[in-house]
Amino acid sequence: MVLPRADGQVAACIDALREVYEADAYPVRWPVDPAGWLSPDDAMQSWVAVSAGRVLGHAVIRRATPPMPVVERMDPALGSPVMVSRLFTIPAARQNGVARRLLDEIAGWAVEHGHQLFLDVADNAPGARRFYERLGWKHVFSEYADWLDADGSPARVHYYLPG
Ligand SMILES: CC(C)(COP(=O)(O)OP(=O)(O)OC[C@H]1O[C@@H](n2cnc3c(N)ncnc32)[C@H](O)[C@@H]1OP(=O)(O)O)[C@@H](O)C(=O)NCCC(=O)NCCS
């Protein structure tokens, strides 16, 4: 079941994020303030996927402006851009439609609120890229990010729009 995230679920989301970090190095570095990382200042809405009281997955929508080459590929009539972020499924619950259901919920929310979605994926997350492409998202642009990969090199990020 996908639900808006409640304040009381943040601790369980941090536990879930820890599992994801240890399995996938997502995020690249364990955040100093994991609760803050899960609730960025520009967050508009957060969701959790839960089953039997356990957090299986998580996602956030953020108010964000994509780079110009991405803006140019968007149709202004579809609404102002918002970014899918902080999306993850715990390893034990993968390949079972958890992240798909989170994105379906987010897509409905975006239409309802007059927004259109975009997202970026780091170069070190090829599985996530395959996941988005499986769901029909289209790669439209890549650039170097303003943060570093684990090896200290500039991170490369890939931007996607819904198919
Ligand atoms: C990427 C991630 C969110 C996918 O979560 P998930 O709950 O396993 O995904 P789903 O089960 O909803 O998958 C939906 C479809 O994508 C496919 N898929 C999922 N992960 C995939 C992968 N790594 N490679 C290829 N296809 C994948 C599934 O097989 C499924 O296909 P189907 O249409 O045949 O059913 C999860 O692997 C994860 O949390 N990764 C680490 C964190 C991360 O990288 N987050 C993204 C940050 S941008």
Side-chain angles (χ1 to χ4, degrees), residues 20 24 26 87-90 93-101 120-122 125 127-128 130-132 134-135:
V20 173
D24 304 282
Y26 176 83
L87 173 72
F88 57 83
T89 300
I90 60 169
R94 292 202 183 148
Q95 301 291 332
N96 207 16
V98 169
R100 180 197 292 274
R101 286 194 285 280
D120 65 8
V121 190
R130 289 195 297 273
F131 158 74
Y132 291 123
R134 172 75 189 153
L135 267 54

Side-chain angles (χ1 to χ4, degrees), residues 2-112:
V2 172
L3 299 166
R5 193 185 79 196
D7 290 347
Q9 290 171 313
V10 172
C13 292
I14 294 172
D15 291 343
L17 180 65
R18 170 65 77 174
E19 290 183 39
V20 173
Y21 171 71
E22 287 172 359
D24 304 282
Y26 176 83
V28 171
R29 285 173 203 78
W30 182 250
V32 174
D33 172 14
W37 190 86
L38 287 168
S39 306
D41 290 345
D42 53 7
M44 301 171 76
Q45 178 68 54
S46 306
W47 289 265
V48 285
V50 291
S51 177
R54 179 142 195 241
V55 170
L56 306 182
H58 178 272
V60 173
I61 278 292
R62 303 169 71 173
R63 195 179 299 280
T65 305
M68 196 49 71
V70 180
V71 173
E72 286 167 355
R73 299 286 295 268
M74 301 175 102
D75 177 355
L78 297 178
S80 55
V82 292
M83 182 170 73
V84 180
S85 184
R86 305 326 193 212
L87 173 72
F88 57 83
T89 300
I90 60 169
R94 292 202 183 148
Q95 301 291 332
N96 207 16
V98 169
R100 180 197 292 274
R101 286 194 285 280
L102 281 160
L103 283 178
D104 284 349
E105 186 73 20
I106 286 172
W109 179 93
V111 169
E112 191 181 325

